[in-house]
Amino acid sequence: MILKTNPILMIIPLLMMFLSTSLLSQTENTNEKDFTYIKLTGTISNYPIVMDLLKEGAELYGSYYYVKSGLPLYLNGEIDDKGVFSITERNEKGETTGTFSGQLSKGMVFTGDWINYKTDKSLPFKLEKSSDNSLSISFNYSMSENCDSVVEEKEINEEDDIEEEERCTTLDLKLIQVSTPSPIVTKKINQTILKAIFELDFGSEKYTTIDDLMNSVNLNDVDGGYDRTISSSFLMNINGILCLSIGHHYYAFYAAHPNGEGYYYNFNLQTGELISLDELLVPNFDSELNKIAEAYFIKEYGSDNWNFEVGEFELNRNFTITPGGLLFDFNRYEIGPYVMGVPSVFIPYSKINHLLKPNGLLEPWRKK
């Protein structure tokens, strides 16, 4: 007896195989685009660059630098579920300098066009995932509010009629968590991050746990109510050095203006320890470094209305390491009145080559 095969039954397994392969491919692409942190290397035209890129939802941000100059440029943009992205770059002054537009394709390859903001000149770029990175980054978010004890008076017409409007005391926390191949190093870095958060200026209150910190909105004395945002941010991951910033923005209701503070933290990824200036520079560097920094500061901001006399400028220890130099930040009131803002000083390695410690952590950038 001859058995006849139904053609439809022959097609079904092939169809199922095709659908299965297609779905698997889509899943791989979706997962690939759902990264949190990636280190990229590549070129804009023929210029080599290195980029640290982070993703939260549809938001992209991070920094990159040209290998030749080492000066970081800061990134902020968006990416859709198909991998189409647009990123704006800004310099340390917050000025827009260029844009990246393109497509993220399979294999974590970013391609497209970079456009110079001033000249409108367009150059092609291609970036690929760096194999020289074992660092992982994640973020935890917490939010607390108290809407029971804060009332704001609000004027609603020209006759000085007043109504009471409820306002909530809020606290938002963005906590970065780092993972390295070493459990000991990972633990040490994350413990230091927590300690840094608890050492922020919360007035008379001190905290030792995240739960106590988040519950602070329910204290009886909430200073008339406030909005507070505490953040920990990734800056750079270069040559075994991890650079983060930790700070908070604070606005007390009825206050004349908001306030806040921010600090840099540079970790040795081999040990998990914080890196000090003493590790980077030769002994007795302060006098010479302050002199060099003062020249850069006055050139950028002038010498008037600051809390120092010419010739007596002193750097703080709030610095971060970049491939091109050391960047120092001052918080409000630290070196001048509130209206003077939060000035910074960038000192290129080329200007302090004689101060860099031989065979130290900055050896890759020291001119022989």
Side-chain angles (χ1 to χ4, degrees):
M1 184 176 71
I2 299 176
L3 295 177
K4 293 185 178 180
T5 303
N6 190 328
I8 295 178
L9 294 178
M10 295 179 63
I11 292 174
I12 288 177
L14 295 174
L15 182 61
M16 292 297 292
M17 185 182 299
F18 171 78
L19 290 174
S20 179
T21 303
S22 178
L23 288 172
L24 179 59
S25 175
Q26 290 179 22
T27 301
E28 289 175 348
N29 288 339
T30 300
N31 292 339
E32 195 169 56
K33 294 179 177 66
D34 193 26
F35 63 92
T36 299
Y37 163 64
I38 185 173
K39 191 169 193 67
L40 301 163
T41 57
T43 59
I44 298 177
S45 185
N46 296 320
Y47 305 104
I49 67 171
V50 178
M51 181 180 291
D52 288 301
L53 195 62
L54 293 97
K55 180 177 180 291
E56 294 183 61
E59 181 185 2
L60 294 175
Y61 62 96
S63 64
Y64 86 99
Y65 62 91
Y66 290 86
V67 172
K68 185 176 181 179
S69 69
L71 184 64
L73 294 161
Y74 303 98
L75 305 170
N76 189 269
E78 292 183 337
I79 185 169
D80 65 20
D81 55 3
K82 295 181 180 179
V84 177
F85 62 86
S86 178
I87 304 173
T88 299
E89 74 173 47
R90 293 181 174 85
N91 60 21
E92 72 280 4
K93 300 177 185 177
E95 301 167 335
T96 299
T97 52
T99 58
F100 291 85
S101 298
Q103 173 74 49
L104 168 58
S105 56
K106 190 174 181 179
M108 297 302 289
V109 179
F110 292 74
T111 55
D113 294 306
W114 175 85
I115 299 177
N116 184 302
Y117 183 76
K118 290 184 178 180
T119 66
D120 209 33
K121 182 179 180 180
S122 176
L123 296 172
F125 71 85
K126 181 177 181 181
L127 297 166
E128 298 182 87
K129 184 177 180 180
S130 172
S131 59
D132 184 24
N133 177 50
S134 57
L135 184 73
S136 296
I137 298 291
S138 61
F139 295 95
N140 288 334
Y141 299 88
S142 301
M143 190 272 184
S144 294
E145 65 177 13
N146 177 3
C147 301
D148 297 330
S149 60
V150 182
V151 172
E152 176 192 19
E153 291 185 346
K154 180 179 179 182
E155 186 175 325
I156 59 174
N157 58 41
E158 296 179 357
E159 286 75 27
D160 292 331
D161 289 336
I162 301 296
E163 73 171 6
E164 288 186 341
E165 178 182 318
E166 187 181 75
R167 198 166 182 177
C168 300
T169 291
T170 63
L171 171 57
D172 290 279
L173 171 65
K174 178 182 177 182
L175 175 63
I176 191 171
Q177 292 191 299
V178 175
S179 179
T180 76
S182 167
I184 295 175
V185 170
T186 296
K187 182 178 180 180
K188 192 174 292 186
I189 292 175
N190 289 323
Q191 285 179 337
T192 301
I193 292 170
L194 280 176
K195 181 182 178 183
I197 288 175
F198 296 141
E199 288 178 348
L200 292 171
D201 184 5
F202 300 119
S204 60
E205 300 296 331
K206 302 296 180 183
Y207 305 100
T208 57
T209 70
I210 293 295
D211 287 342
D212 286 344
L213 175 60
M214 300 309 298
N215 192 51
S216 63
V217 298
N218 297 315
L219 296 177
N220 291 330
D221 180 12
V222 291
D223 299 325
Y226 57 80
D227 290 324
R228 188 192 300 275
T229 300
I230 303 171
S231 62
S232 46
S233 303
F234 175 96
L235 296 176
M236 302 193 83
N237 167 25
I238 47 172
N239 289 351
I241 300 172
L242 171 65
C243 305
L244 307 177
S245 68
I246 296 172
H248 73 134
H249 179 272
Y250 178 81
Y251 175 64
F253 300 157
Y254 315 122
H257 51 69
N259 213 332
E261 57 184 332
Y263 303 97
Y264 293 125
Y265 294 84
N266 307 285
F267 293 93
N268 185 327
L269 287 174
Q270 296 300 313
T271 66
E273 298 289 345
L274 287 172
I275 300 169
S276 67
L277 273 181
D278 292 325
E279 292 179 73
L280 305 176
L281 306 178
V282 298
N284 306 312
F285 63 83
D286 291 88
S287 178
E288 179 70 9
L289 186 65
N290 286 334
K291 181 180 178 181
I292 295 170
E294 181 180 71
Y296 276 100
F297 187 94
I298 291 176
K299 181 180 179 181
E300 180 66 29
Y301 302 104
S303 58
D304 297 333
N305 303 314
W306 298 105
N307 297 343
F308 68 89
E309 299 295 330
V310 175
E312 299 179 3
F313 178 87
E314 291 186 7
L315 286 168
N316 57 20
R317 291 297 184 265
N318 188 20
F319 76 98
T320 191
I321 299 166
T322 82
L326 299 177
L327 176 65
F328 292 80
D329 270 9
F330 293 92
N331 284 299
R332 293 188 187 276
Y333 299 114
E334 188 175 359
I335 198 172
Y338 182 93
V339 69
M340 302 301 283
V342 285
S344 62
V345 183
F346 181 78
I347 307 175
Y349 295 130
S350 60
K351 301 300 181 181
I352 55 172
N353 189 63
H354 59 297
L355 298 180
L356 303 185
K357 186 175 289 187
N359 301 315
L361 291 174
L362 299 181
E363 181 68 20
W365 302 295
R366 193 171 70 89
K367 304 296 182 184
K368 302 296 191 293

